[in-house]
Amino acid sequence: LSLRRQRQMCIRDRNDIENLRASIINISADGQVDIGEQEEFKQILESLDLISNNAKALELWAKKNIKNI
């Protein structure tokens, strides 16, 4: 992926993180994940995994392509 595309993904991911954070707080407010919340919680975990992978890809790209790090 190009640096520009990686940057766009990072910005989108940052906004997604705020939404995910709010959802996690709402789901876990009572200290448990109820049956009706399990699917949303699973989707949140999948989204966090994707965000983590995108961040790692951006870091690796930067280390490979930017000489002054």
Side-chain angles (χ1 to χ4, degrees), residues 11-65:
I11 291 168
R12 186 181 68 226
D13 289 346
R14 195 176 312 148
N15 293 332
D16 290 346
I17 289 170
E18 288 302 314
N19 292 333
L20 292 172
R21 185 181 70 78
S23 294
I24 289 172
I25 289 170
N26 287 334
I27 289 173
S28 64
D30 62 358
Q32 58 186 339
V33 178
D34 298 327
I35 291 173
E37 300 168 323
Q38 288 179 357
E39 184 59 35
E40 181 181 4
F41 190 73
K42 181 181 172 186
Q43 290 174 355
I44 289 170
L45 293 178
E46 289 171 359
S47 295
L48 290 172
D49 188 49
L50 180 61
I51 290 167
S52 176
N53 290 337
N54 287 341
K56 192 63 176 173
L58 180 57
E59 177 187 14
L60 292 172
W61 185 95
K63 286 180 178 179
K64 179 181 174 187
N65 293 289

